[in-house]
Amino acid sequence: MTDDEQEIFDKLSELLQPFNEKQVELKPQTEIAVDLAIDSVSVMDFVMEVEDHFDMDIPLNVLSDTHTMKDLISVVQARKKT
Amino acid sequence: MVDLLDKNKALMERMQRVAQAGSRVGPVNEKLLSPTRAMIDGRDTILAGTNNYMGVTFEASCIEAGQRALAEHGTGTTGSRIANGSYAIHEELERELAGFLGMKHCIVFSTGYQANLGMMAGLAGPKDTIFLDADSHSSIYDGCTLSGAQLVRFRHNDAADLDKRLTRMGDTGGGHLVVLEGIYSMLGDRAPLADFVEVKKKHGFQLLVDEAHSFGVLGPNGCGLADEAGLMHEADFVVGTFSKSIGAIGGFGASNHPLFETVRYSSKPYMFTASPSPASVATATAAVKLLAREPERRDRLQANSARLFHGLRGLGLELGCDEVSPVIAVKCADEPSTLVMWNELLAAGVYVNIALPPGTPGKLCLLRCSVSAAHTEAEIDRIIELFATVVAGKQLTAASAAGA
């Protein structure tokens, strides 16, 4: 991971902690909903925290193709640029 | 090859856990005795989770209208509204509803769920953006997805959060639709409509209010939250259902927009399904007339709601919202204890809804009551008494156990 990716990963990990009830170890390839066994509403609530922190909109449509931490890092990076 | 239903194994385990706790999640009504009572497991049970707000399901005028329509128009229409399924009685219902709402146009859908699917998909397209409240009903989410629009979720009942998101989004080159609900089905809270209208004035979006739980219930004319708030003119589109205060099945969308009738041809959930059955349409029309004729039903619902709200709060229970509403949800500690209490309530003679995540906001476990104008004071008092025995005792025990 680049420094930028690492920084986003660390922030996402922090924001994900309240939803990570099973304290699953987070890696770039972690599948957020599946590996953490969290429901669709919790995923959307988590993404809302990400939106607020990075001051960006992540439309729900984007989430259907976003599964892993790495996917979400890419989404954040792409939307930071625009 | 992977078995398609393998992914449902966790769901099966959850269903089995629920069954082990003592009952089916959807108990069977063996015989309906009235709008507020049924025989369940051989017991006369008070129904306090039916969304039958106006208690019209056994009204003589509605039953008679349904029976007549069944005899005169047959059992089903066997076709879509845009083919052979448009009858004079469908148009009569649309005129009746438009008149009730004081709006120019009304389109009837075959179910409430389809009304939201059909309205979202009929109004918005891939170039548009829909801003939806985080606590929106599943039919709104599904309708938004079907529309292909860009979907932005804002924090529940938070007009400032919507303002922030609209500002951040700016001009997208497409339309912006904001979707709110009159009364939210799980916690019973209302949208702060005046606050959202201020944001509307600033950003100029189009506003849809889903009055599923508030149509017939709120406002001086019973039109819903927008009516109660005196802001009917700010609701560009209103959605409602017949399966709650109307006591039938079906739904509608209404608007003053001059192009609204075109939604009939831009909405697949309207076009590619059979139109509602004659009996359902006729009972709905009779119920709309009844609600217009008997506004005192709203007063009775309000009085019953206040009685249950204050009764349950008096037991020290934590409720879903702080204002009196016909939806009164009791917050519980966790899924196992909620299941136990729900089963005990049912065994003791009251049916309420059990609501669990992810169907609830904030991962809440709820025992959800909905009040009817047809409940007697004695029935409301009995519901409170059973919550006192079954729930208040448990909650206090849990609290003291946690404190020990």
Side-chain angles (χ1 to χ4, degrees), chain A residues 18-19 21 37-46 48-49 51-52 54-62 79, chain B residues 131-132 134 141 144 148-156 161 164-166 168-169 357-363:
Chain A
F19 301 90
E21 286 175 0
I38 57 178
D39 62 51
S40 52
V41 175
S42 297
V43 171
M44 291 192 292
D45 288 346
F46 159 58
M48 209 169 233
E49 298 298 330
E51 287 178 302
D52 276 358
F54 291 101
D55 191 27
M56 60 172 61
D57 285 309
I58 302 175
L60 298 183
N61 325 55
V62 173
R79 301 190 87 85
Chain B
F131 296 80
L132 71 165
Y141 277 95
C144 289
Q150 174 168 247
L151 308 180
V152 175
R153 186 175 180 253
F154 60 88
R155 290 188 187 277
H156 175 56
D161 190 61
K164 181 178 81 181
R165 284 163 202 278
L166 283 159
R168 195 157 63 201
M169 184 66 68
T360 54
K363 292 191 165 197

